[in-house]
Amino acid sequence: MRVLLIGNCQGAGGGPTHFQLLAKFLVAEGHRVFALGVGDTDQYLPQLEPPAEVLRIPQTATKLWSKVVKGGLLLQVRNKVLAFKPDLFIGIGYGNSYAYLAQLLGKNTFSFYQELITNPPYKDPLRMRLTEAFGAVAVQSPGMKPAFVANIPTDKPVGCLPCFSFSPAPGFRANAPSERGLLRLAYFGRLAANKGLPQFLRAFAQVQGQVEATFDIHGGGPESELIEQTIAKLQLGAAVKLCGPYPGGVDYARLLSSYHALVLPSIDAEGLPLVLLEAMSYGLPYLSTTIGAISDSARDNPDVLVVEPEQEQLAAGVVTLCTRLRAGKTDPARLQTYYQEHYSFEVMAQEWRTMLADPPGYFARQA
């Protein structure tokens, strides 16, 4: 099959990671692939061997000359896409260029785009345009579908396809805490408003007399200064540390699995976050919220805890999590098994193989 793929390659988040891994998976499965990455650097662009083709479209173009260059590149992309004659067009995320290409290809190519966050704005103009241009929509996890269908009215089929994540580095597993000593909790990710860290810090301060735990915050982003101010205001400096950027690869595996639990206190704009899959892959229990499809990962999973994204519920969640950890009620080996059975690369690959065998039929069956 000839597959045209477009996705965001700006940064190392869940969307760009899925875009990279999906492109490589399609090539490995024997499909002819033309991948278009939207971003301002080649750092996270899929690395594919010929005959697969990869092109990058700049994400930003503010100056006149850069707009001229981008316009010329888009014309080149248009001609290459028409010459490629894809059987299937997949958009990972969304953008105006996605809709343009879907309309350009028309009914000769089956197309769908994959929504990566839940609860989009009601009748969001871009998403409405996308659902009109594409033949189907895929959400990342079942928990995302009700909100999408309610907010983006469409007669197109809405199905579910998982997002790929990197397989865990072998030989790492989180350690259960000892009966004594501080519990080590951590956050990994972008320091952005939707992650809810200031609210969690208030919840954490609220239970300082009830738990013996530290909280390390790994990452950077626009909320860094606010988070630092919140730590100071709440006098949490002895228990909470801003650690800055964190490593990748084996060093990340070693660091992540060195903690007793992960915390992701999101309040908005999530699908099924990559960091939660990574935590499970190393047997690291976590506390998170009901935002997006996060609750899907807690179904029949006694080693994680999901609460409403409110301060009181987060405070109670910290106490419950720490109590479970102290009592030995979490099991890193059991959590790794859960990951293997539900979210491993092979589990996700098999679902994509099912779709690729008959894309229109796959979405029609889920409509």
Side-chain angles (χ1 to χ4, degrees):
M1 185 185 298
R2 303 173 74 87
V3 183
L4 174 65
L5 180 65
I6 187 170
N8 183 1
C9 63
Q10 189 82 358
T17 296
H18 173 49
F19 173 56
Q20 289 182 61
L21 295 178
L22 176 58
K24 293 177 180 179
F25 167 75
L26 291 170
V27 170
E29 292 291 303
H31 299 286
R32 181 73 181 272
V33 175
F34 182 12
L36 297 170
V38 182
D40 294 328
T41 74
D42 293 338
Q43 183 177 359
Y44 299 103
L45 201 64
Q47 302 300 310
L48 307 177
E49 297 293 330
E53 187 170 3
V54 181
L55 281 178
R56 179 174 59 83
I57 303 171
Q59 185 173 43
T60 56
T62 54
K63 296 182 179 180
L64 178 60
W65 177 244
S66 63
K67 291 181 179 180
V68 171
V69 172
K70 183 174 181 178
L73 180 58
L74 290 175
L75 180 60
Q76 178 187 352
V77 167
R78 176 189 181 278
N79 294 337
K80 282 181 171 287
V81 164
L82 290 174
F84 183 65
K85 297 180 181 179
D87 304 298
L88 177 64
F89 174 36
I90 305 172
I92 305 300
Y94 56 94
N96 285 309
S97 55
Y98 295 43
Y100 168 75
L101 289 173
Q103 290 170 331
L104 176 70
L105 292 167
K107 296 182 179 180
N108 292 329
T109 301
F110 184 78
S111 62
F112 70 89
Y113 84 93
Q114 192 166 19
E115 179 65 56
L116 302 181
I117 64 170
T118 195
N119 201 29
Y122 182 67
K123 290 190 174 181
D124 174 64
L126 179 54
R127 287 179 172 87
M128 292 297 292
R129 183 184 173 201
L130 285 165
T131 55
E132 182 180 347
F134 281 82
V137 181
V139 293
Q140 180 190 0
S141 192
M144 298 171 63
K145 186 172 179 177
F148 182 88
V149 171
N151 289 346
I152 309 296
T154 178
D155 58 357
K156 303 293 178 66
V158 179
C160 179
L161 273 171
C163 287
F164 285 105
S165 60
F166 287 112
S167 296
F172 291 95
R173 177 183 291 167
N175 293 318
S178 61
E179 294 182 1
R180 297 183 178 181
L182 293 172
L183 294 171
R184 301 181 65 241
L185 314 180
Y187 168 90
F188 286 83
R190 183 167 167 76
L191 307 188
N194 68 302
K195 301 301 183 180
L197 283 164
Q199 177 176 258
F200 177 75
L201 289 171
R202 292 191 291 272
F204 191 63
Q206 187 176 325
V207 298
Q208 280 299 281
Q210 303 175 56
V211 299
E212 294 181 334
T214 60
F215 182 49
D216 290 348
I217 301 173
H218 296 271
E223 293 276 294
S224 298
E225 185 175 345
L226 174 61
I227 291 168
E228 188 172 8
Q229 292 171 352
T230 304
I231 293 170
K233 182 178 179 180
L234 296 172
Q235 299 181 342
L236 287 172
V240 179
K241 183 180 178 182
L242 267 174
C243 302
Y246 53 93
V250 172
D251 289 336
Y252 172 58
R254 183 178 295 108
L255 179 60
L256 183 62
S257 59
S258 71
Y259 287 95
H260 297 128
L262 178 87
V263 176
L264 180 65
S266 301
I267 57 175
D268 192 19
E270 294 283 16
L272 182 53
L274 176 63
V275 70
L276 298 185
L277 304 186
E278 292 169 339
M280 285 192 286
S281 76
Y282 295 114
L284 184 67
Y286 61 77
L287 167 66
S288 193
T289 63
T290 56
I291 295 298
I294 291 172
S295 294
D296 289 350
S297 69
R299 191 172 293 114
D300 300 321
N301 187 356
D303 297 303
V304 305
L305 182 62
V306 174
V307 301
E308 294 296 323
E310 306 293 340
Q311 181 175 325
E312 290 300 322
Q313 283 78 3
L314 285 165
V318 172
V319 174
T320 300
L321 175 66
C322 291
T323 300
R324 287 185 184 179
L325 290 168
R326 287 291 189 204
K329 293 183 178 180
T330 59
D331 184 343
R334 180 175 60 194
L335 185 53
Q336 284 185 306
T337 299
Y338 184 93
Y339 166 82
Q340 288 296 331
E341 293 176 350
H342 294 84
Y343 295 109
S344 65
F345 188 95
E346 186 53 38
V347 168
M348 297 184 180
Q350 189 54 50
E351 191 66 24
W352 276 87
R353 291 187 187 109
T354 301
M355 183 279 295
L356 290 164
D358 178 18
Y362 180 87
F363 284 95
R365 290 190 295 271
Q366 295 194 55

